[in-house]
Amino acid sequence: MTSDGTPAGRPTSEEPPRLRTPRQPTTLPDWMLDPPPPRRTLGVRVAEAVAALPGAARVRRRWWAWQDRDRLYQRYPNSFKFVAIVVSWVVVMVLVMLIYALYSQA
C-alpha cells in the first residue's frame, strides 16, 4: 500500500514478474538494436597479452592489495599535518636563505 491507501501495484509473491513490453515497435535502426562488437584496440591486445603471462594474476592481486591499503596519512592524519607544517617551514627557510645569499653576492 502506498501512503494514500491505494494498492502499490506490485505483483503478489505467487505471480512471476513479467517484463513490460512496449506498446509500439521501436524505431531504432538495426545497427543500434544489435550493435557490432567493439574493436580490439592496441591497448586491449597488450593488456590481454600481459594478462596471459605466468604469474600475472598474482601480481595483479598484489597490486590491488597495495592500492587498497590504508595510507599513513589516513591512519595518522594529525601527525602528517604536523610533519607537513615542519617540512613547509624548512622549505620556506631554505628559500629565504637562498634569496638572501643571492642578494648578498651583488
Side-chain angles (χ1 to χ4, degrees):
M1 287 252 169
T2 58
S3 60
D4 61 351
T6 59
R10 295 186 183 142
T12 61
S13 59
E14 297 87 29
E15 287 183 22
R18 289 179 284 198
L19 297 175
R20 197 179 69 163
T21 57
R23 300 191 201 297
Q24 300 176 16
T26 180
T27 58
L28 294 174
D30 289 337
W31 65 270
M32 290 179 90
L33 293 173
D34 187 23
R39 286 187 234 158
R40 292 177 62 225
T41 61
L42 178 64
V44 170
R45 291 181 185 142
V46 168
E48 290 173 352
V50 169
L53 293 173
R58 184 171 50 90
V59 170
R60 186 172 50 248
R61 284 191 300 271
R62 298 276 308 260
W63 176 254
W64 289 342
W66 172 256
Q67 292 296 314
D68 287 338
R69 76 190 193 286
D70 284 337
R71 310 310 200 272
L72 283 176
Y73 71 87
Q74 293 169 335
R75 284 191 276 168
Y76 308 107
N78 291 335
S79 300
F80 258 76
K81 290 174 189 173
F82 178 74
V83 169
I85 288 172
V86 171
V87 168
S88 62
W89 182 81
V90 168
V91 168
V92 167
M93 286 296 113
V94 167
L95 290 174
V96 166
M97 289 177 8
L98 181 68
I99 291 172
Y100 182 73
L102 288 174
Y103 275 111
S104 67
Q105 288 184 8

